[in-house]
Amino acid sequence: MDYMKMIKIIVNGEVMHVDADTVVSELLQNLGISDSKGVAIAINEEVVPKSQWSAKMFSPDDQMIIIKATAGG
């Protein structure tokens, strides 16, 4: 891991360090979220469409929220 290329982001309130070239889909996979059904992503309070997850890279201090729908009520 090259720490010169690491950036700090915040995911659901927790500080994380990721490679500067990490995209949303890679981060989700690293977090164990492989099924994107019922998952919504917002970065800096802007929804990121699923069609952009494989291209959307992070900037330092981005704040990402992962929302997972659950069955039941």
Side-chain angles (χ1 to χ4, degrees):
M1 212 180 276
D2 184 355
Y3 289 100
M4 296 300 288
K5 294 182 180 181
M6 300 293 282
I7 60 170
K8 178 188 81 162
I9 62 172
I10 299 170
V11 179
N12 287 0
E14 293 187 34
V15 174
M16 296 186 71
H17 291 88
V18 298
D19 287 327
D21 60 354
T22 299
V23 295
V24 170
S25 59
E26 289 174 324
L27 179 61
L28 291 175
Q29 187 175 19
N30 291 342
L31 293 173
I33 302 171
S34 57
D35 183 9
S36 65
K37 273 191 164 181
V39 175
I41 300 296
I43 297 177
N44 301 325
E45 299 183 6
E46 261 186 59
V47 173
V48 179
K50 282 185 190 178
S51 62
Q52 295 179 11
W53 290 5
S54 61
K56 176 69 175 162
M57 294 173 63
F58 295 96
S59 297
D61 298 315
D62 272 352
Q63 294 192 32
M64 178 170 147
I65 298 173
I66 303 170
I67 299 168
K68 292 190 274 184
T70 56

